[in-house]
Amino acid sequence: MLLEIKENPAPVLRQKNVKIKDPLAPEIQELILNMFETMHQAQGVGLAASQVGFNLRLCVIEVEEELYTLINPKITAKSRKKILLDEGCLSFPGIFLPIARATQVQVRYLDQAGKPQKIKADGLLARALQHEIDHLDGVLFIDRLKKSKTKDSKQK
Ligand code: NI
């Protein structure tokens, strides 16, 4: 089932997202399927539960035809090295902004079966992970734009 994607400034995007206690609960499993369907249809790389109206620590990502379901994800390590690239968000249709992100991250999470997983990612996957996990903390990419800009101007 396709879900409605909430666009900025929908309050749900800024609200607290709670941990999922039972990843195998039927309503969570159904939400995951619906989020993948909604993300595909919108041709997105990632989608967080808050973007479809659920304040849960859950996001889905598709990079290079690989699907990731991340339940209660946490970034455990991040490279110091950052890269500035144009980034978009399904809650900001048609807007692409240069955002600085760590080139590499390590993330711990529960997969769709509720199994603990650990990944080390770079490239687009590293960027998508940082973007989506930000959503779970109510942080939107426009917030990072300000920070990137401030940093750049300080360096100059
Ligand atoms: Ni987004």
Side-chain angles (χ1 to χ4, degrees):
M1 190 181 86
L2 285 178
L3 304 170
E4 185 201 336
I5 297 177
K6 311 289 180 186
E7 293 179 7
N8 189 60
V12 72
L13 297 173
R14 295 296 193 178
Q15 283 160 6
K16 185 180 161 64
N17 297 294
V18 299
K19 270 194 178 182
I20 291 175
K21 286 181 189 143
D22 180 9
L24 300 181
E27 61 270 26
I28 296 296
Q29 293 290 312
E30 195 187 335
L31 176 59
I32 293 168
L33 288 180
N34 291 339
M35 283 172 64
F36 272 117
E37 195 182 331
T38 303
M39 178 178 69
H40 280 294
Q41 211 262 343
Q43 297 183 311
V45 170
L47 184 69
S50 59
Q51 292 181 277
V52 287
F54 295 85
N55 284 120
L56 297 169
R57 301 192 73 83
L58 161 69
C59 57
V60 296
I61 289 176
E62 179 174 4
V63 168
E64 283 154 11
E65 290 175 29
E66 196 80 45
L67 302 176
Y68 301 87
T69 301
L70 301 116
I71 297 169
N72 306 335
K74 195 175 186 290
I75 294 178
T76 53
K78 206 185 247 204
S79 64
R80 269 196 198 175
K81 197 179 163 198
K82 287 189 175 183
I83 180 167
L84 191 68
L85 280 176
D86 279 349
E87 196 172 299
C89 177
L90 292 177
S91 295
F92 294 77
I95 296 177
F96 295 89
L97 299 167
I99 308 293
R101 299 278 188 191
T103 57
Q104 228 180 41
V105 290
Q106 281 183 57
V107 175
R108 281 178 191 273
Y109 63 99
L110 301 178
D111 65 17
Q112 196 163 354
K115 249 185 78 183
Q117 301 285 352
K118 192 166 73 175
I119 41 169
K120 196 172 180 175
D122 54 21
L124 181 58
L125 181 58
R127 179 165 291 269
L129 286 164
Q130 291 169 80
H131 179 112
E132 298 312 324
I133 293 171
D134 266 356
H135 271 297
L136 306 189
D137 295 321
V139 174
L140 302 175
F141 76 145
I142 49 170
D143 307 336
R144 299 282 182 198
L145 175 71
K146 286 172 199 151
K147 282 182 194 164
S148 311
K149 268 191 176 165
T150 315
K151 249 188 192 170
D152 284 351
S153 52
K154 267 184 195 161
Q155 279 163 0
K156 275 171 201 166

